[in-house]
Amino acid sequence: MRDKKVEELIEQGKFYFLNKQYNEALSEFQKALKLDPRNARILYNLGVIYESKEDIEIAKTLYLKALELDPKLEEAQKHLDKLVGTSEEE
Amino acid sequence: MARQFAVIGLGRFGSSVARTLIDQGHEVLAIDENEEKVAEMGDLAAQAVQLDATDEKALRAVGIEDVDVAIVAIGGDIQASILITLLLKEIGVKEVVAKALNARHGRILQKIGADKVIFPEREMGERLAQILVTPSVLEQIELAPGHSIMEIVAPKAFVGKTVRDLDIRAKYGANMITIKKKVPHLTKTGETDFVETVNIAPKAEDRIEKGDHLVVIGKDEHLAKLKKLSSKEG
């Protein structure tokens, strides 16, 4: 029952994300995270949304947390590498 | 072309300058009073010697007059730094670069003939402050004195407007040469992601959206106005 609710929230979040309604997308994913706090994919998705909104530091933290929970989550590693690369140039 | 450098004082600043020069293929004569610090640079530098650089004879003995540039990177001892800078100019080193610890020290170094005075702490601090104050300036590259190319996050006031509406050239005296957009999509595994599209020839009817990055080129004074606008929204 709870899993189904989480899936629904994630789907809704993705829909908002694809329509560039980032704040709405965030709120859906945050609700999903509350129900399933150790879900690396939710953390990763939140990271992508924050990155889209140019909140780079928060995005980095979220990718790191996602990787802590699931070290094999390639997407998170890819995004993190890109962000770390840019800030090292500073 | 490889040049000959002398780095005097191998503290954190001096050794990092020396390493960078060596990495770039230059010949470095590394000098410090402290034997341990000299040993650390020994494997990297063309020559690393332990000597008291306030001693003119010792400096001449290692061939200091033949270097193209001498960098005085003494950490805490202002008196030694001044004395060494003076000696180097008297010996006839073509270019002497000296690190200043504070403004007064900097003025003295200039007066006694340092060709360039650097304030690494201040310069780093200013740079850091710049980054903290204007987090939305992503990169700025100087093209020529007074002219730069920079990438900013599109200011809120620009969102929803077309390139024609904005008329950046007339209003800000700068040219927008690129619009970068993040286009959201789902990956094969169904996760959210975005691809970055780069529009290198923005047309009059192209529209700016939230989160776009703009690359603009122009005079620094004109870019500063855009920078201000971009940083306001935070």
Side-chain angles (χ1 to χ4, degrees):
Chain A
M1 191 57 206
R2 209 173 80 163
D3 283 356
K4 202 174 160 219
K5 179 79 185 149
V6 171
E7 283 311 312
E8 267 175 31
L9 287 166
I10 292 176
E11 278 315 306
Q12 193 61 29
K14 286 178 185 169
F15 170 79
Y16 283 129
F17 173 74
L18 289 176
N19 286 294
K20 293 194 171 184
Q21 289 174 275
Y22 297 132
N23 291 333
E24 289 79 359
L26 272 185
S27 122
E28 298 301 313
F29 276 106
Q30 278 158 351
K31 281 184 219 159
L33 187 69
K34 225 173 184 176
L35 296 173
D36 191 0
R38 297 188 58 79
N39 187 325
R41 296 200 165 261
I42 298 177
L43 287 165
Y44 161 75
N45 281 298
L46 279 168
V48 172
I49 301 167
Y50 275 108
E51 197 183 338
S52 306
K53 282 164 57 80
E54 295 295 330
D55 278 327
I56 302 302
E57 287 311 310
I58 304 178
K60 265 197 235 176
T61 316
L62 285 161
Y63 294 142
L64 276 172
K65 272 194 197 159
L67 283 168
E68 244 172 61
L69 293 171
D70 179 4
K72 278 184 259 168
L73 193 61
E74 273 173 41
E75 291 101 327
Q77 190 65 58
K78 220 171 67 190
H79 275 263
L80 187 63
D81 288 349
K82 217 176 70 187
L83 293 181
V84 170
T86 55
S87 62
E88 262 173 7
E89 281 170 12
E90 307 267 302
Chain B
M1 208 182 70
R3 296 209 289 167
Q4 285 202 323
F5 290 83
V7 178
I8 300 169
L10 301 173
R12 236 183 323 174
F13 176 73
S15 61
S16 94
V17 169
R19 274 168 218 272
T20 309
L21 290 169
I22 292 163
D23 286 346
Q24 289 175 359
H26 298 292
E27 210 166 280
V28 171
L29 164 61
I31 297 172
D32 199 287
E33 261 188 326
N34 182 316
E35 210 167 328
E36 267 174 50
K37 286 182 180 159
V38 171
E40 272 171 41
M41 287 306 299
D43 297 337
L44 298 168
Q47 203 183 347
V49 284
Q50 185 244 330
L51 59 84
D52 174 7
T54 59
D55 178 351
E56 185 179 343
K57 272 190 208 146
L59 280 179
R60 286 190 189 272
V62 292
I64 199 83
E65 63 263 45
D66 298 328
V67 304
D68 298 302
V69 184
I71 296 135
V72 184
I74 304 279
D77 190 344
I78 290 188
Q79 212 175 322
S81 143
I82 292 169
L83 197 55
I84 293 164
T85 303
L86 195 61
L87 268 178
L88 291 169
K89 283 318 288 183
E90 273 181 6
I91 290 171
V93 174
K94 272 168 264 162
E95 198 177 340
V96 178
V97 180
K99 170 189 161 178
L101 296 172
N102 55 47
R104 197 176 302 160
H105 183 199
R107 277 210 302 278
I108 296 171
L109 289 170
Q110 244 155 13
K111 283 219 166 83
I112 59 170
D115 298 284
K116 191 174 170 134
V117 177
I118 41 173
F119 297 87
E121 276 89 3
R122 190 171 82 186
E123 275 154 29
M124 269 309 291
E126 277 169 8
R127 225 170 139 191
L128 179 63
Q130 183 70 24
I131 292 164
L132 293 174
V133 171
T134 51
S136 42
V137 176
L138 305 163
E139 192 158 16
Q140 182 159 359
I141 300 161
E142 191 179 29
L143 292 172
H147 295 75
S148 302
I149 178 165
M150 73 170 183
E151 181 173 342
I152 54 169
V153 178
K156 225 179 225 163
F158 286 12
V159 173
K161 303 222 167 93
T162 62
V163 172
R164 185 188 290 118
D165 295 338
L166 290 173
D167 205 1
I168 287 179
R169 195 196 300 226
K171 285 186 192 144
Y172 298 94
N175 278 303
M176 179 162 67
I177 51 175
T178 301
I179 304 174
K180 291 189 192 174
K181 282 183 190 299
K182 289 196 175 83
V183 182
H185 74 122
L186 295 181
T187 62
K188 273 183 224 155
T189 52
E191 301 307 323
T192 59
D193 202 350
F194 52 76
V195 280
E196 270 179 330
T197 63
V198 179
N199 175 356
I200 52 164
K203 295 191 190 70
E205 62 272 19
D206 288 342
R207 203 172 286 279
I208 311 291
E209 291 174 289
K210 193 165 188 290
D212 286 358
H213 289 183
L214 312 178
V215 181
V216 282
I217 180 168
K219 281 191 183 164
D220 288 344
E221 62 207 76
H222 294 143
L223 295 181
K225 278 196 250 169
L226 278 169
K227 232 189 263 187
K228 230 177 172 176
L229 205 61
S230 178
S231 62
K232 253 189 223 161
E233 57 185 297

